[in-house]
Amino acid sequence: MSKKRSAALGFIFITLLIDITGLGIIIPIMPALIQELIGGDLSQAATYGGWLMFSYAVMQFFFSPILGNLSDRYGRRPILLLSLLGLGVDYLVLAVAPTIGWLFVGRIMAGISGASITTATAYIADISTPEKRAQNFGMVGVAFGLGFILGPWLGGLLGTYGSRIPFYASAGLALLNTLYGYFVLPESLKPENRRKFDWKRATPGGSLKHLKKYPVIYGLVASYILIYLASHAVQSTWTYFTSEKFHWSKMMVGNSLAFVGLMVAIVQGGLIRVLNPKLGQKRSVILGLCLYAVGLILFAFANEGWMMFAFLIPYCLGGIAGPALQGIMAGQVPANEQGELQGALTGLTSLTMVVGPLLMTNLFSFFTRKGGSFYFPGAPFLLGAILIIGSILAALGSLRLYSQTAK
């Protein structure tokens, strides 16, 4: 049984690695493509970038609970394959887009079918024992880390040959990943652990209402939302911030994101397996969130490019919080509700993607616009730190309840 679980974890890891590498490829080049299509400057491109993420997030908010519930009914494998196929089509649309409107079409399509991370986390919960669950969730972080080493580096390199080439490369990876999953990836959800599909539970509100019966999970919702909202300070503005303040090239942005990936892989693949058992899940969450806040504050006031690399160390060490938080929540629900849980959580993160990119990119645009009264490109990072502090405060009550129920 242990060998089968290890093999299945290896399959899902490779699937995620290919998926995230494709995503990482397009990150360094997206601002340049937006500028090309709108004929505007970087500040204007940041605003359009926020609206593109908004359109993707709105679709994910409504469709992630549906796909999560469908995976509880029909299994993880078919939903994962559908998501990968949709992502491949999205990248092709972006590659050939003649106008900015087509970028929105591609992002909307990806948002409707995008459930790869949702289904992968449910898959990991299916095959994990309770004591290994947090560590196995860390493998998602390793895949993210390695994918963001390979992806941005390839994106920066391919971007020198044209702003469309990285999108074709990402499309090829996504479609190859679909084929890999079809022929290699086994199903993780046993027939006896499946349940009937219920439309009432397949809506964002329905999923959250059902999860209310689990006090520990429901109490962590506010903390979870604030964490992901804060993360958009980095995800949505990193390329714009470093290009504006330090005049980094596409290759330099790609190298910095590759360093992010290396740090995440080290933390999620190595340190978390040592620190999590020693600290326990509760302390891992609190310590990780404190490190996130420190990293964001340092980003906000960095005045030399090398500092961004140095300050990534405490920020990435904050990654010990995520798998511990997921492990706590996944341990509260039965096997036939893991898809629903992960779908609801993805819906929540999508909700932050509705607000976060618009908030952070427009905040960046406001403090960097020509003729503005105050120049401070680090404003999104400072707001992110404030949100993380709020997340810590919101989590404390639920973590106390978790400690009591775990005894």
Side-chain angles (χ1 to χ4, degrees):
M1 182 63 71
S2 179
K3 289 182 178 180
K4 287 183 179 180
R5 284 175 175 163
S6 297
L9 190 62
F11 287 138
I12 204 68
F13 173 76
I14 292 172
T15 300
L16 282 173
L17 176 60
I18 297 173
D19 186 20
I20 294 161
T21 299
L23 175 63
I25 285 174
I26 72 169
I27 290 177
I29 205 69
M30 182 62 88
L33 179 60
I34 296 173
Q35 283 183 272
E36 175 187 318
L37 292 175
I38 67 172
D41 59 22
L42 191 65
S43 183
Q44 292 171 317
T47 301
Y48 274 95
W51 282 109
L52 282 167
M53 294 188 74
F54 172 86
S55 61
Y56 173 85
V58 169
M59 294 299 103
Q60 272 225 320
F61 176 68
F62 288 107
F63 284 90
S64 287
I66 295 174
L67 294 175
N69 275 268
L70 285 173
S71 77
D72 282 339
R73 174 65 182 87
Y74 298 104
R76 316 302 183 201
R77 186 173 176 273
I79 305 304
L80 185 57
L81 294 179
L82 173 65
S83 176
L84 295 174
L85 179 62
L87 197 60
V89 173
D90 164 48
Y91 290 143
L92 284 175
V93 171
L94 298 183
V96 301
T99 65
I100 191 70
W102 280 98
L103 294 189
F104 283 95
V105 171
R107 293 282 76 193
I108 288 170
M109 291 171 58
I112 291 172
S113 61
S116 57
I117 306 302
T118 299
T119 314
T121 49
Y123 192 110
I124 291 170
D126 291 339
I127 63 174
S128 300
T129 58
E131 61 272 14
K132 291 287 186 181
R133 190 171 280 132
Q135 294 179 36
N136 287 346
F137 277 134
M139 294 302 293
V140 178
V142 177
F144 265 97
L146 294 177
F148 273 97
I149 293 172
L150 297 172
W153 177 78
L154 285 172
L157 178 63
L158 293 172
T160 61
Y161 298 99
S163 59
R164 308 285 180 145
I165 301 301
F167 295 93
Y168 284 112
S170 293
L173 280 176
L175 296 175
L176 284 173
N177 204 8
T178 305
L179 290 175
Y180 168 80
Y182 181 81
F183 288 107
V184 178
L185 191 68
E187 178 55 63
S188 64
L189 187 64
K190 297 177 181 179
E192 60 268 25
N193 288 333
R194 300 181 187 185
R195 61 178 177 82
K196 292 182 178 180
F197 181 81
D198 184 355
W199 275 108
K200 292 181 180 179
R201 292 170 62 173
T203 63
S207 294
L208 289 176
K209 184 177 180 181
H210 180 71
L211 292 176
K212 193 174 183 179
K213 68 179 184 181
Y214 303 109
V216 172
I217 293 177
Y218 205 74
L220 289 172
V221 166
S223 176
Y224 195 81
I225 291 175
L226 291 172
I227 291 168
Y228 277 88
L229 187 60
S231 73
H232 288 286
V234 176
Q235 295 175 19
S236 301
T237 67
W238 181 268
T239 302
Y240 301 106
F241 175 83
T242 54
S243 298
E244 169 72 20
K245 189 159 187 178
F246 307 120
H247 308 291
W248 282 3
S249 65
K250 297 170 189 173
M251 181 61 76
M252 190 62 179
V253 172
N255 289 340
S256 71
L257 292 173
F259 183 72
V260 173
L262 176 63
M263 287 299 303
V264 170
I266 291 172
V267 172
Q268 303 284 343
L271 286 179
I272 196 172
R273 295 179 176 272
V274 177
L275 291 178
N276 187 273
K278 289 185 176 181
L279 294 173
Q281 297 193 118
K282 178 183 174 181
R283 290 179 181 175
S284 295
V285 170
I286 298 300
L287 177 60
L289 292 179
C290 289
L291 288 168
Y292 272 143
V294 169
L296 286 165
I297 292 170
L298 292 172
F299 288 152
F301 296 99
N303 52 32
E304 296 287 344
W306 64 265
M307 293 180 177
M308 299 302 286
F309 286 88
F311 298 160
L312 278 168
I313 295 174
Y315 180 78
C316 291
L317 284 171
I320 64 173
L325 188 60
Q326 284 183 302
I328 291 171
M329 291 190 286
Q332 304 296 308
V333 302
N336 65 358
E337 294 182 14
Q338 289 294 337
E340 180 179 33
L341 169 64
Q342 301 305 331
L345 294 179
T346 301
L348 289 173
T349 60
S350 299
L351 183 61
T352 69
M353 288 175 66
V354 172
V355 179
L358 287 176
L359 175 62
M360 299 303 180
T361 55
N362 279 283
L363 190 62
F364 173 84
S365 182
F366 178 81
F367 282 101
T368 59
R369 74 190 191 281
K370 294 178 181 178
S373 59
F374 186 70
Y375 181 79
F376 183 43
F381 298 129
L382 189 58
L383 176 59
I386 294 170
L387 291 171
I388 288 294
I389 293 171
S391 175
I392 295 170
L393 296 175
L396 289 175
S398 292
L399 291 176
R400 289 194 198 98
L401 179 61
Y402 167 73
S403 297
Q404 294 170 2
T405 56
K407 291 179 180 179

